[in-house]
């Protein structure tokens, strides 16, 4: 591990390869013995960077406890670059049915399958994909936390506006809808909103759940 | 125990008051005891449309604030014995009453009347909340215009959150069949597809409506007007009859109408 000083305080860059216990021991060692002198004095803010280590809440608390052992060190943040673990307690997929009417909004952190219509003035906002089994006449925002790979599919795609990540697009000037369209989907291609038939979804956004044939 | 029906739309000027007056009068024509309640406090119109403006002594706010009994504020219609109306106050505003007070008043009215028709003000604020508070059923009025349908959709969403109100019913007002045929006006099917609620009736745009409203007489008492027939059909559907939708286009010439008169087609 390394300790860097910035004008905001100290940054603890922790090794992300070793065992967690090992890491904790080293942290304790540095704070209590080797770096004792430079870590005393007035209140110092500490930002902990875990690298690619995915730490549980208990592990984060353990790190906090060790650093707090020095009264003048205040932990401001503990950041990990690791992706969310798959066993996350939050549901990432939801099926919902009904009508989203004008003035109503459905938000969800994950991928949503909405069975029913979304009327003009109604909106769906999700961090993942949005699938509408019905008419999408209102607004849909997929990948709302910035995921540009998110898609929006609808049995009847006639939205007032589509958003994926931070791209906003509106019909009809920007994309061509076919009048006799069957189910379609919207995706981003180099920052531009594109519409295509649903059969092409697996080619454009290949994923782990694709059916490959037997 | 009667039934309270609120007539609402979100958007103004689509015909809530006209619909309230005509549906209420049509129910009275069919022998029901009806009370019309105007909740548009500050902008009352129902009394004008009914031609009862000059008989007002007490109003809804007087009842709520205890200055008179409910029975004293009710105005008997000049044409029908079983038709009454409760006017709104003109000098106050929507904040003069609370939803609970309207609810209590409607409960009292339901003991004496078969139907209570509540005319709701435009908008979705306090006035709307007051109007829907006591209702068991709701009629949403819209016209074949995008803006009106959008607002109707918003209102339906709000009505669906009211636990005591059954699924609202739709009236499409001021329909012009020729414009619809030319595709210049939203189609009835399109409106129903978006709003996804039961259609209670379609009322054609009819000059008789304006004329009779100005004379203080609901159109529905005049059997010649097409709008009148539409309102009577709506009243029968409220009573539970199955009445087919009126043929909107009248393409037949004089001969066709004569044939129809003799039941030849």
């Amino acid at each position: 591990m390394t300790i860097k000083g910035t004008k905001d305080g100290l940054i603890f860059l922790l090794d992300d390869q070793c065992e967690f216990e090992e890491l904790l021991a080293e942290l304790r060692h540095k704070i209590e013995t080797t770096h004792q002198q430079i870590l005393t004095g007035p209140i110092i803010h500490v930002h902990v960077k875990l690298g690619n280590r995915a730490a549980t809440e208990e592990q984060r608390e353990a790190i906090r406890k060790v650093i707090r052992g020095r009264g003048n060190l205040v932990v401001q943040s503990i950041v990990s670059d690791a992706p969310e673990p798959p066993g996350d307690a939050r549901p990432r997929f939801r099926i919902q049915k009904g009508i989203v009417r004008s003035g109503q909004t459905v938000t969800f952190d994950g991928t949503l399958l909405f069975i029913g219509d979304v009327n003009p003035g109604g909106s769906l906002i999700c961090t993942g994909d949005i699938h509408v089994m019905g008419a999408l006449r209102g607004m849909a925002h997929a990948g709302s936390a910035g995921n540009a790979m998110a898609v929006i599919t609808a049995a009847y795609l006639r939205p007032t506006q589509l958003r994926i990540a931070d791209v906003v697009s509106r019909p009809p000037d920007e994309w061509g809808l076919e009048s006799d369209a069957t189910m379609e989907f919207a995706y981003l291609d180099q920052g531009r909103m594109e519409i295509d038939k649903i059969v092409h979804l697996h080619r454009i956004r290949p994923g782990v759940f694709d059916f490959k044939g037997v | 125990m009667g039934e309270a029906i609120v007539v609402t739309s979100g958007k103004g000027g689509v015909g809530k008051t006209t619909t309230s007056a005509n549906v209420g009068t049509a129910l009275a024509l069919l022998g029901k005891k009806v009370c019309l309640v105007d909740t548009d406090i500050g902008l009352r119109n129902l009394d004008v449309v009914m031609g009862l403006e000059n008989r007002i002594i007490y109003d809804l706010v007087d009842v709520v604030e205890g200055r008179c009994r409910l029975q004293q504020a009710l105005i008997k219609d000049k044409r029908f014995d079983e038709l009454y109306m409760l006017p709104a106050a003109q000098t106050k505003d929507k904040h003069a009453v609370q939803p609970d007070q309207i609810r209590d008043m409607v409960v009292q009215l339901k003991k004496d009347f078969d139907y209570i028709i509540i005319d709701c003000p435009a908008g979705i604020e306090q006035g709307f909340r007051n109007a829907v508070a006591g209702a068991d059923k709701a009629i949403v009025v819209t016209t074949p215009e995008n803006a009106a349908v959008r607002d109707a959709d918003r209102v339906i969403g709000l009505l669906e959150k009211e636990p005591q109100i059954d699924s609202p019913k739709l009236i499409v007002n001021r329909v012009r069949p020729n414009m619809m045929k030319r595709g210049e006006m939203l189609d009835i099917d399109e409106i129903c597809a978006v709003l996804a609620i039961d259609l209670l009736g379609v009322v054609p745009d009819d000059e008789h409506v304006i004329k009779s409203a100005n004379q203080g007489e609901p159109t529905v008492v005049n059997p010649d007007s097409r709008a009148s027939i539409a309102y009577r059909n709506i009243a029968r559907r409220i009573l539970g009859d199955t009445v087919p939708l009126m043929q909107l286009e009248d393409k037949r010439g004089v001969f066709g109408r004569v044939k129809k008169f003799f039941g030849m087609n």
Side-chain angles (χ1 to χ4, degrees):
Chain A
M1 69 168 277
T2 41
I3 298 176
K4 281 202 315 196
T6 66
K7 66 177 191 310
D8 296 333
L10 295 173
I11 298 177
F12 284 35
L13 294 166
L14 303 188
D15 190 302
D16 55 13
Q17 300 302 318
C18 64
E19 288 295 312
F20 183 74
E21 290 309 318
E22 215 176 300
L23 179 86
L24 213 57
E26 196 194 340
L27 183 66
R28 197 173 288 126
H29 176 71
K30 284 218 158 124
I31 284 180
E32 287 168 6
T33 47
T34 53
H35 289 62
Q36 201 184 355
Q37 295 88 343
I38 63 157
L39 294 177
T40 49
I43 297 243
I44 305 170
H45 292 291
V46 174
H47 300 269
V48 180
K49 299 218 156 142
L50 295 169
N52 284 325
R53 181 188 299 276
T56 64
E57 207 39 60
E58 293 87 70
Q59 289 174 333
R60 284 162 194 252
E61 190 50 45
I63 292 172
R64 266 188 217 115
K65 212 170 152 191
V66 171
I67 297 174
R68 242 187 269 129
R70 286 255 152 237
N72 61 323
L73 296 184
V74 181
V75 181
Q76 288 294 90
S77 64
I78 299 182
V79 185
S80 163
D81 300 332
E84 293 282 335
D88 195 342
R90 280 176 302 175
R92 313 294 288 184
F93 181 78
R94 185 202 275 174
I95 300 175
Q96 211 165 19
K97 51 191 194 305
I99 301 180
V100 181
R101 297 190 181 274
S102 179
Q104 299 177 332
T105 304
V106 173
T107 51
F108 181 59
D109 185 10
T111 289
L112 179 72
L113 171 61
F114 190 83
I115 303 173
D117 290 358
V118 180
N119 280 355
S123 37
L124 300 179
I125 301 172
C126 294
T127 55
D129 297 338
I130 293 175
H131 308 286
V132 180
M133 303 295 282
L136 174 55
R137 300 190 188 89
M139 195 278 280
H141 188 179
S144 60
N147 179 11
M149 297 302 279
V151 297
I152 299 168
T153 71
Y156 184 74
L157 190 66
R158 289 293 180 279
T160 44
Q161 197 182 79
L162 290 179
R163 300 181 190 173
I164 295 176
D166 51 3
V167 176
V168 178
S169 175
R170 66 188 154 80
D173 45 333
E174 291 173 45
W175 20 275
L177 287 166
E178 290 175 44
S179 55
D180 59 341
T182 52
M183 199 166 172
E184 289 171 309
F185 74 103
Y187 65 101
L188 288 185
D189 182 23
Q190 291 165 0
R192 275 178 56 86
M193 191 75 70
E194 299 287 345
I195 308 290
D196 208 335
K197 289 202 175 87
I198 201 76
V199 286
H200 298 138
L201 176 62
H202 73 284
R203 280 203 288 107
I204 289 166
R205 287 285 180 268
V208 283
F209 299 114
D210 292 349
F211 172 67
K212 302 268 179 11
V214 284
Chain B
M1 198 69 174
E3 194 172 79
I5 306 174
V6 63
V7 178
T8 181
S9 71
K11 192 175 178 300
V14 296
K16 284 179 296 295
T17 302
T18 311
T19 303
S20 304
N22 282 294
V23 170
T25 308
L27 285 166
L29 258 171
L30 292 166
K32 296 293 167 187
K33 198 168 179 197
V34 179
C35 182
L36 305 171
V37 179
D38 190 351
T39 59
D40 199 348
I41 300 165
L43 289 168
R44 70 175 176 211
N45 293 145
L46 189 58
D47 52 317
V48 181
V49 172
M50 293 298 290
L52 301 171
E53 193 181 11
N54 53 11
R55 302 180 189 212
I56 297 175
I57 296 164
Y58 294 113
D59 57 46
L60 188 146
V61 176
D62 291 324
V63 176
V64 164
E65 293 180 354
R67 276 190 292 276
C68 70
R69 283 178 293 110
L70 181 56
Q71 306 303 329
Q72 287 176 292
L74 293 178
I75 304 169
K76 197 170 91 63
D77 184 69
K78 49 190 175 188
R79 295 152 290 246
F80 299 96
D81 287 339
E82 300 280 61
L83 180 60
Y84 288 79
M85 82 158 285
L86 178 61
Q90 184 69 327
T91 52
K92 304 280 174 36
D93 70 18
K94 271 97 189 164
H95 301 277
V97 293
Q98 294 298 317
D100 290 347
Q101 297 170 316
I102 301 274
R103 187 180 299 125
D104 295 346
M105 203 183 66
V106 171
V107 167
Q108 248 184 302
L109 285 170
K110 284 205 286 194
K111 289 176 196 154
D112 296 331
F113 292 93
D114 298 321
Y115 287 95
I116 293 102
I117 308 290
I118 304 166
D119 184 22
C120 177
I124 52 173
E125 297 85 17
Q126 175 93 26
F128 170 80
R129 287 195 291 273
N130 285 341
V132 301
D136 309 308
K137 290 189 174 173
I139 293 176
V140 175
V141 183
T142 190
T143 57
E145 295 161 89
N146 267 327
V149 173
R150 206 61 55 85
D151 288 2
D153 191 43
R154 179 87 173 95
V155 158
I156 293 166
L158 295 174
L159 288 169
E160 283 172 346
K161 282 189 209 151
E162 296 287 326
Q164 84 282 7
I165 295 183
D166 293 349
S167 170
K169 302 272 190 287
L170 182 69
I171 292 181
V172 184
N173 198 11
R174 283 212 214 109
V175 169
R176 297 194 190 186
N178 290 328
M179 283 185 76
M180 252 178 207
K181 217 171 74 190
R182 292 197 298 268
E184 295 161 350
M185 201 176 231
L186 279 177
D187 211 74
I188 303 288
D189 292 340
E190 253 174 282
I191 297 170
C192 291
V194 170
L195 298 180
I197 58 171
D198 293 343
L199 184 64
L200 185 63
V202 175
V203 182
D205 197 27
D206 188 338
E207 288 177 4
H208 279 100
V209 175
I210 303 168
K211 192 177 135 200
S212 56
N214 285 336
Q215 290 167 348
E217 186 169 77
T219 322
V220 78
V221 296
N222 169 8
D224 297 336
S225 112
R226 294 167 61 71
S228 159
I229 296 163
Y231 283 123
R232 290 180 190 207
N233 287 347
I234 288 167
R236 285 173 60 195
R237 289 188 198 109
I238 291 174
L239 297 184
D241 292 0
T242 316
V243 187
L245 277 182
M246 194 165 103
Q247 194 67 41
L248 283 173
E249 286 161 62
D250 203 8
K251 282 177 295 190
R252 282 180 276 249
V254 176
F255 185 63
R257 262 182 253 141
V258 172
K259 275 212 297 195
K260 193 187 172 196
F261 183 74
F262 289 109
M264 285 164 72
N265 60 348

